Amino acid sequence: MWNGIGLVLEGGGMRGVYTAGVLDLFMERDLYVPYVIGVSAGACNALSYLSRQIGRNRKVTIDYVDHPRYLGIRNLVREKSLFGMKLIFEDIPLRLEPFDFDAFHRSPQTFVAGVTDCVSGAPAYFRNTPQRDMLAVVRASSSLPFLSPIQYIDGRPYLDGGIADPIPVKQSAADGNRKHIVVLTRNRGYRKEPARMAWLAKVRYAKFPGLVRALENRHEVYNRTLDEISRMEASGEAFVIRPVEPLQVGRYEKNRDKLQALYEQGYRDAARRFEEMLQWMRT
């Protein structure tokens, strides 16, 4: 029914609970867009959207944030990652809060997850083919520079998809979509500043000059993308859902009350604009 419309999901670490609220509202109202693309936390949220598991994204984020292996400095010692990647991408989906792989693979929706190619510094995109392990892809898309190990897929090194293509609306268009629902995790007016530790990238990733360039240019890419989304919103090509209230949650937030409030804000914002969005989708 909604052919030609893409759902584009920004990352943002723990700010992704906003997107979890938006997608739960969509699922409750039986709105499933045929094409979904996301990076980092956006890609994580997309998984439960495609598997039709209402509330799962909230559970695996908020309910587990106090788990000693979920998020913290100790993980840097155990796994060389601030986030507990084994817990998040193995223990939780396979055992603690089972991910419905069968429903995910039955879904008629196209799912695309963006990663950053460490060799070229360019974005790369993986689709939910039967042969592709999308949990491994989303794990790579969520592997933050400096704070997570590089992930290898088919022998190629990848990191956080938000580095090279933080809001992949252009890829949605390149894949043939004429209109795009864009879920952002920053307030209107936000602009990304240059990285204060860009010099560290040259040391840490000396073997990957393409990745270093991508990290140095990340703020420019992000801000240009916001400008393009504003243009698309004005022309009717994009419908943007973003936090209306000032954000109280950071990328590494562990306060359950703040996370729950942001989840509820995403749910409310989506509910408030749902009929307006449907009308836009029909035109």
Side-chain angles (χ1 to χ4, degrees):
M1 179 178 180
W2 305 116
N3 289 337
I5 299 178
L7 175 60
V8 181
L9 307 176
E10 182 181 13
M14 301 304 285
R15 291 192 303 273
V17 296
Y18 178 84
T19 304
V22 172
L23 296 183
D24 274 356
L25 186 281
F26 284 6
M27 286 190 280
E28 286 181 6
R29 301 201 182 181
D30 201 30
L31 177 66
Y32 291 98
V33 181
Y35 174 101
V36 184
I37 186 169
V39 298
S40 197
C44 291
N45 280 309
L47 290 172
S48 295
Y49 176 62
L50 270 78
S51 66
R52 275 61 169 168
Q53 290 178 272
I54 299 173
R56 183 177 181 277
N57 283 324
R58 188 200 63 77
K59 287 181 182 178
V60 301
T61 305
I62 299 175
D63 290 358
Y64 282 87
V65 73
D66 294 328
H67 192 289
R69 291 194 291 121
Y70 192 89
L71 170 62
I73 299 299
R74 290 181 182 177
N75 288 329
L76 289 172
V77 177
R78 294 191 190 104
E79 300 185 44
K80 296 184 172 62
S81 175
L82 187 67
F83 285 90
M85 302 302 254
K86 182 179 184 300
L87 173 70
I88 294 171
F89 291 102
E90 295 178 33
D91 296 346
I92 289 177
L94 300 179
R95 193 166 50 82
L96 300 174
E97 296 291 341
F99 178 64
D100 192 337
F101 288 93
D102 289 339
F104 175 79
H105 289 298
R106 285 196 308 269
S107 171
Q109 295 165 280
T110 296
F111 173 43
V112 182
V115 296
T116 297
D117 186 312
C118 295
V119 176
S120 67
Y125 308 94
F126 291 89
R127 298 165 193 274
N128 57 329
T129 62
Q131 299 78 21
R132 177 60 66 189
D133 180 357
M134 291 307 290
L135 271 183
V137 172
V138 172
R139 181 172 183 163
S141 183
S142 305
S143 294
L144 302 173
F146 308 111
L147 298 174
S148 297
I150 289 172
Q151 300 293 307
Y152 287 81
I153 300 173
D154 300 333
R156 189 84 175 176
Y158 298 104
L159 274 176
D160 177 19
I163 300 170
D165 192 4
I167 313 167
V169 66
K170 286 187 178 180
Q171 186 60 36
S172 177
D175 284 339
N177 295 305
R178 59 184 178 82
K179 302 178 81 171
H180 319 273
I181 302 167
V182 183
V183 182
L184 302 180
T185 56
R186 290 284 194 177
N187 296 123
R188 184 182 294 277
Y190 172 78
R191 305 294 285 184
K192 187 176 286 292
E193 299 292 331
R196 289 174 291 181
M197 299 181 66
W199 61 270
L200 183 58
K202 296 179 180 178
V203 177
R204 177 68 181 274
Y205 301 115
K207 294 192 301 183
F208 299 110
L211 176 61
V212 172
R213 287 192 299 272
L215 287 166
E216 290 175 336
N217 298 330
R218 187 177 189 179
H219 66 290
E220 295 178 359
V221 172
Y222 187 89
N223 293 336
R224 282 199 304 269
T225 303
L226 286 180
D227 291 341
E228 176 65 9
I229 289 171
S230 294
R231 183 199 67 75
M232 296 172 80
E233 188 176 19
S235 69
E237 297 169 67
F239 189 94
V240 181
I241 299 175
R242 51 158 60 91
V244 174
E245 301 167 27
L247 281 172
Q248 303 295 323
V249 168
R251 179 181 286 271
Y252 312 117
E253 184 63 63
K254 295 188 70 173
N255 184 300
R256 291 171 63 102
D257 292 338
K258 289 183 178 181
L259 291 168
Q260 180 65 29
L262 185 57
Y263 167 84
E264 292 172 1
Q265 184 183 164
Y267 186 94
R268 286 196 309 272
D269 287 350
R272 179 176 56 85
R273 301 194 65 199
F274 190 77
E275 292 302 323
E276 177 190 359
M277 185 179 68
L278 287 183
Q279 181 61 36
W280 170 85
M281 294 172 73
R282 294 186 183 108
T283 58

